[in-house]
Amino acid sequence: MEFSVNIAHDLCTKAVSINKAINTQEVAVKEKHARTCILGTHHEKGAHTFWAAVNRLPLSSNAVLCWKFCHVFHKLLRDGHPNVIKDSMRNKADLSDMSRMWGHLSEGYGKLCSIYLKLLITKMEFHVKNPRFPGNLQMSNRQLDEAGENDVNNFFQLTVEMFDYLECELNLFLGVFSSLDMSRSVSVTAAGQCRLAPLIQVILDSSHLYDYTVKLLFKLHSCLPADTLQGHRDRFQEQFKKLKSLFYRSSNLQYFKRLIQIPQLPENPPNFLRASALSEHISPVVVIPAESSSPETEHMVDLVTEDLVDTDIPIQPAAVVEPRFDDLFGTSAATDPFNFNNQNGMRKDDKDRLIKQLTLEIQALREELESFRLESGRLCQALRGRVNELEAELAEQSHLRMQALGESEFLRAELDDLRRVKEDTEKEQRSLTEIERKAVANEQRYVKLKEKYTELVQSHADLLRKNAEVTRQMTVARAAQDEVDSVRREMQEKVKAAQEAAERREQEQVEQLQELQRELISSRAELDTLKSTMASSQQSSEELSSQLSTVESEKVELAGSLLKKEEELAGLGEELERVQSSLASERKSGVKTAEALQNQLNEKESREQALESQLVAARWSTLQGAVEEAERIVQDSLAQLDDPAHISCTSSADYLASRCQASLDCMDRLHSARDGYLADNTGVSELVRAVTHLAHLVGDTIVQGSATSHMVPVEQADALSDSVKACGAEALALLGQMKEQESLATADSAALRAALDGILATSEKLRPRGLELQQGELGDLVEQEMAATSAAVESAAARIEDMLNKSRAVDTGVKMEVNERILASCTDLMQAIKALVLSSKDLQRDIVDSGRGAASMKEFYVKNSRWTEGLISASKAVGWGATVMVDAADLVVQGKGKYEELMVCSHEIAASTAQLVAASKVKADKDNANLGRLKLASKGVTQATARVVASTKSGKSQIEEKDTMDFSSMTLTQIKRQEMDSQVSVLELETKLQKERERLGELRKKHYELAGVAEGWGEEDEGTG
């Protein structure tokens, strides 16, 4: 009885708490009443008391009451006993009817109640379908995997159900926010808090649903194709945007800031197409701060403690036990049957009556005692059952404790993993920061090198301008020197001419004087002769008087002439003295002028020598600057080999070979430029250009060699890497010798040339095998393939004509008509292909003639080997397609083949001819006449292919017989059976069609890979990269 009283007291307490939690006041539900309801479900291991109290409430008439009921019920589903969900499923129909009823209202609490009830129904259905999920949705990753039982179909269905669940949560979220006036501080009002309070449960559920949805989608993407999950991704994207927006809006409300810490979702949704993105996913964690103790909560704890004590060991107050004897036997001393003080005067009848009364009372007491014994036995049995239940609960709690310890260990391990991941992330972040810093430093170094290079170019340009200025000055000085030399020569010639003239005049005067002296001597001799004659002939004076007078007169004349001659001689002497004096003065002035000119010439020569020395120094400094810059270029190329960013660079052996050959050619140019500089140091510009060009080529060879080593096997890659490093070292050694003026003439480039030859030989070994054809082989192979294609097309046309004649002789009626139409269209297709091949040959001939220059046709084919191999491949495809189509047409005409094979062959020929057209016109001039004819021929092939396909389809429709479908005699069961058989056949054919499509895709992929290996496409693409 005492236990019944306690149970009644508990039920009364629970009912009071439920009525206090669910009332018509528009305020938020108090936590103490909600906690009492939750503890009540754990005490009675169910929700019978809750539903018994709720069914008496007018939920259908008061929207606020219904809203608070939904809030409390949501808390019970999350935190109550697991049996709450099972007990609540009995009321699912009533909740659905109530949701539809409140759904007729378009505003206020009515619409919100309808949405909330739908959410609660969805939550109950989800937990019934997935019993592994607890009400609060808290699960570990291992438990989540176990929930799907490692079946992709279960994971797929579970993801859909979580999407529906989360959609209901988001609808309630949006409904509450749309019903509030966000322009005012609604979160601090009682009415606003009444509407916002249930969103805490929604936030808790939504965070778990989002986390599990992300993990399940990553798991599905690892098992299923991406196209199959396109709908899942689209739906997730939509819900992600809504949930992120709602979390952000909720975190800004003052009401939530003191009750719950809302997580923030990432900026962008996870990329499910990248499996590694799962490691970047961070599960959102909702934190509820610990509440401070208050008198109200302490009272609640005391109340719960008393309830738990009453449940375990019922304690009956003494006030209840003490009055029990008085209630049964009375308390008045006058009426006390055990008071014998007043029995002396009693009569016998009174004694008998008293004894009888006492006997009856004793019997009643015995019966009551027996009932007490039975009740105590029943109570003991109930207490034993209660003890057993408590022991079971204790075992369950121990099990839950062990499970919690296991989960805590698991969470601790996960926390350690997360810490390690965080440390790894921090290390990667530091390494990334270091790489970025190195990248910035490299960028700055590159900028400095670029500025230095610009300064060097500018200084080189200035030196060139100075060189030009000095050369011009030297030209002017040389012109002035030439002018001085010419003036000096003219002065010397003038002096010499004056001296010669003076000498001639003096000689003439001397000669004239000597002639006058000779005449004087002859006159004196004649005078002496005359005197002797006169002395001898004094005797004959008379005879000689006339002669004497004549002689006298002649003597006078001779004396006069002698005087004249003497006067002339004196004048000539004076003139000679004057000429000699003038000549002496002219000599003195000429000597002074010559000395002045010689001094100017010496000064000019000294200036020219100074300028020449400065020019030589400038030329050498320019050369040294160029050599130093070349060393920096090579060193930078060698430094790039150790750069981690260079690992992703790739190149081809063809390009590496071209760079090596260019470097070798530049070596010859450098050698000739150095010899020219040593012979005449004015040729420094050519040597500077050769050194700079060689440095760039060698640096490019080093970089391309390292990039090529990334695409070859390890042994060859190591050998190639060592070769390029050795090449860089030899280049630096050669540049170091050229930097010294003493060792410039003896600088040996043989080691660098040998290193480049080694790299060239290695690149030749690494080149694709398709490039190893000789000139004659490649050129002849082009001609052979084109001729073979023409022959195959002509042979196919001849075979089609032969098949047409045989069909006319054998077939009749519709079959003959169909065969003639198909074979005629095939003949037209062969003629169109033949015209296309001829046009392709003409266009190729024009391309070769316009592009080969002085080289032969075979050399042009070898030079453009990739294009040539494309022509060869396209020609082979056209010839093979024509042969296969003729075979297919032969089988169709004979009735042994399939029309589909003929249509596929037609499409294959069209694709092959398109390849031939593309390979033919890739190097053609757009204004070439043969290119226009090739395009027309290509259109003709396309139209002929369409005619073949059309004639094949029409012929197939004429030949095949179609069964008439007569279902008039079938019963309903037979028609249903036939329908099922048809559905089975459709599914089988669809499955077979899907498999054949996948097989066709794999075949095309494998064909492309084999064709790429045969043609060297992969190596060419890698070289380009």
Side-chain angles (χ1 to χ4, degrees), residues 423-475:
E423 292 176 358
D424 295 339
T425 305
E426 291 177 353
K427 291 180 180 177
E428 292 178 356
Q429 186 68 26
R430 288 195 296 271
S431 62
L432 179 61
T433 305
E434 183 67 19
I435 291 172
E436 290 179 352
R437 187 182 61 77
K438 290 183 178 179
V440 172
N442 291 333
E443 183 68 22
Q444 294 176 355
R445 185 177 65 180
Y446 172 74
V447 172
K448 292 180 180 178
L449 288 176
K450 186 176 180 181
E451 293 176 354
K452 186 66 177 177
Y453 178 73
T454 305
E455 292 177 359
L456 288 175
V457 171
Q458 185 66 29
S459 63
H460 178 62
D462 295 338
L463 290 175
L464 290 177
R465 285 194 294 271
K466 290 180 179 179
N467 185 16
E469 183 66 23
V470 170
T471 304
R472 186 181 61 78
Q473 292 178 1
M474 286 184 64
T475 303

Side-chain angles (χ1 to χ4, degrees), residues 866 873 915 1007-1008 1011-1022:
R866 291 297 182 196
S873 176
Q915 181 184 356
H1007 174 265
Y1008 181 80
V1013 171
E1015 301 296 337
W1017 297 341
E1019 297 179 1
E1020 183 179 5
D1021 295 339
E1022 293 168 1

Side-chain angles (χ1 to χ4, degrees), residues 654-714:
D654 293 336
Y655 187 68
L656 177 59
S658 65
R659 294 292 88 193
C660 289
Q661 190 60 45
S663 300
L664 290 172
D665 295 339
C666 190
M667 289 285 295
D668 298 334
R669 178 185 171 191
L670 176 65
H671 185 70
S672 60
R674 185 192 64 177
D675 294 340
Y677 175 76
L678 293 175
D680 184 10
N681 57 9
T682 58
V684 69
S685 59
E686 182 64 25
L687 182 58
V688 169
R689 286 193 291 269
V691 169
T692 308
H693 192 199
L694 178 64
H696 282 290
L697 290 176
V698 171
D700 196 11
T701 302
I702 293 171
V703 174
Q704 296 302 325
S706 177
T708 305
S709 67
H710 298 159
M711 305 302 298
V712 299
V714 178

